[in-house]
């Protein structure tokens, strides 16, 4: 049975834009209107050029807007050129780094990780949200799960449970008060990562079992980077390092490839011995649009 659902990117754009406006007006984020305009314009222009080079049938700005708004919330640098360069790398990675018909990395995560590693003049500011703003941010993110009808909520919840569990286990092991892991979880950057990066339907495993496994691996990798290697941005490095493993996880746990409009529920790689009809035969009455996010 084919079911359609509301494209979740509309809610994601509204939530990120609202959080950015509140951060700039209410929390005095270190980001100017000029910087926001530069990041969004560069992201959209790169999406347009990439779409033309890839010969996509139309210009869809939604995924580029999500990446651009996420950069506005997370990216910090003193250079306008590096800010624009990060936006270019972020969007271009969708068109260049591809495997099996979809991009390998979450664009925002890859753009930030690449520019931090390459320039040492780009950083992420995780401590710019207060506790009150964090609760508002959390409600907005949870509202997104409801609106999206839990399309990829399993990986978000599995990651938060795994990462939070590791923080609490570490506190128990070290004899630290529970206020320490609670404070570590009160991070707007962590919520953006959990609700808008690791949950990116285009770069997560196709099956639920695969997504839960991937979430646990990313959480463990982030904890290793942060508490064993004593390096910041453990979430970014862990997701970037493990994203290529999604192809292997999809082979071990085949599932249905995600479509933004929810038009198809067809396994990307059916289990052995199972033969599926061609996708077009299953959806004869539905128009097919671009599938690249």
């Amino acid at each position: 049975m084919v079911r359609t659902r509301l494209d979740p990117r509309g809610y994601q754009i509204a939530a990120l834009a609202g959080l950015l406006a509140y951060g700039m007006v209410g929390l005095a984020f270190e980001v100017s209107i000029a910087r926001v305009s530069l990041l969004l314009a560069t992201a959209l222009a790169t999406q347009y050029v990439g779409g033309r080079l890839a010969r996509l049938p139309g210009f869809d700005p939604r995924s580029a807007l999500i990446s651009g708004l996420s950069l506005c919330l997370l990216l910090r640098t003193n250079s306008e050129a590096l800010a624009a360069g990060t936006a270019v790398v972020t969007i271009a990675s969708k068109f260049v780094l591809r495997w099996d018909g979809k991009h390998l990395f979450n664009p925002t995560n890859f753009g930030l990780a690449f520019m931090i590693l390459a320039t040492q003049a780009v950083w992420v500011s995780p401590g710019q949200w207060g506790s009150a703003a964090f609760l508002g941010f959390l409600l907005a993110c949870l509202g997104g799960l409801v609106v999206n009808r839990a399309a990829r909520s399993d990986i978000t919840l599995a990651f938060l449970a795994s990462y939070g569990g590791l923080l609490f286990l570490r506190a128990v092991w070290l004899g630290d008060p529970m206020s320490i892991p609670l404070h570590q979880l009160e991070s707007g950057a962590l919520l953006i990562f959990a609700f808008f990066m690791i949950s990116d339907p285009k770069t997560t495993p196709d099956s639920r079992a695969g997504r839960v496994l991937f979430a646990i691996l990313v959480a463990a990798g982030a904890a290793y980077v942060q508490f064993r290697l004593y390096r910041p941005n453990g979430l970014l490095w862990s997701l970037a390092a493990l994203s290529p493993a999604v192809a292997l996880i999809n082979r071990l746990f085949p599932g249905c490839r995600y479509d933004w409009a929810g038009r198809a529920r067809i396994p990307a790689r059916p289990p052995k011995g199972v033969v599926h009809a061609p996708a077009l035969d299953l959806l004869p009455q539905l128009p097919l649009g671009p599938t690249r996010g």
Side-chain angles (χ1 to χ4, degrees):
M1 178 179 179
V2 177
R3 295 191 305 171
T4 60
R5 61 171 175 269
L6 186 68
D7 191 320
R9 289 175 293 182
Y11 180 87
Q12 292 176 348
I13 292 170
L16 289 171
L19 291 167
L20 177 61
Y22 177 66
M24 294 175 66
V25 176
L27 302 176
F29 279 5
E30 295 177 354
V31 56
S32 64
I33 294 177
R35 174 63 63 84
V36 170
S37 302
L38 174 65
L39 287 172
L40 295 182
T42 305
L44 291 172
T46 308
Q47 175 71 32
Y48 177 79
V49 173
R52 292 296 299 268
L53 293 175
R55 298 182 179 180
L56 297 184
F59 173 63
D60 189 340
R62 289 173 291 186
S63 293
L65 275 176
I66 292 172
S67 297
L69 289 167
S70 297
L71 288 178
C72 293
L73 286 165
L74 295 173
L75 170 68
R76 297 295 177 265
T77 177
N78 295 322
S79 168
E80 300 300 327
L82 289 179
T86 305
V88 171
V89 171
T90 294
I91 304 302
S93 69
K94 296 194 306 177
F95 297 97
V96 176
L97 303 174
R98 301 182 66 84
W99 177 263
D100 198 21
K102 61 181 184 179
H103 44 280
L104 275 174
F105 300 94
N106 171 268
T108 305
N109 188 81
F110 179 84
L112 289 170
F114 180 86
M115 293 301 285
I116 291 172
L117 190 64
T119 70
Q120 303 294 319
V122 168
W123 66 93
V124 172
S125 179
Q128 55 191 335
W129 287 271
S131 58
F134 172 81
L135 291 176
F137 196 173
L138 178 60
L139 290 176
C141 293
L142 291 176
L145 291 186
V146 175
V147 170
N148 299 338
R149 291 192 293 176
R152 283 296 190 264
S153 61
D154 46 15
I155 192 170
T156 295
L157 298 176
F159 168 76
L160 289 175
S162 302
Y163 188 67
L166 289 172
L167 293 182
F168 280 103
L169 285 174
R170 179 175 181 271
V172 171
W173 176 264
L174 297 176
D176 291 338
M178 290 298 106
S179 59
I180 291 180
L182 285 175
H183 177 72
Q184 291 170 327
L185 289 173
E186 290 182 352
S187 166
L190 173 64
L191 293 183
I192 289 179
F193 181 86
F195 287 87
F196 297 98
M197 286 189 181
I198 194 174
S199 59
D200 178 4
K202 290 293 188 180
T203 55
T204 52
D206 295 326
S207 68
R208 173 160 294 179
R211 291 192 292 273
V212 171
L213 172 62
F214 185 66
I216 294 172
L217 292 175
V218 172
Y224 179 80
V225 171
Q226 184 171 350
F227 301 120
R228 187 68 176 177
L229 302 180
Y230 301 105
R231 303 288 299 178
N233 305 313
L235 298 174
L236 297 181
W237 300 125
S238 181
L239 181 58
L242 289 168
S243 288
V246 169
L248 174 61
I249 294 175
N250 282 337
R251 289 189 175 276
L252 296 175
F253 303 98
C256 298
R257 180 161 296 184
Y258 188 88
D259 180 89
W260 284 116
R263 294 169 300 190
R265 310 293 292 173
I266 304 165
R269 283 191 175 82
K272 292 182 178 179
V274 178
V275 178
H276 288 276
L280 292 177
D281 291 344
L282 292 177
L283 302 171
Q285 76 284 17
L286 296 175
L288 295 178
T291 57
R292 290 184 179 180

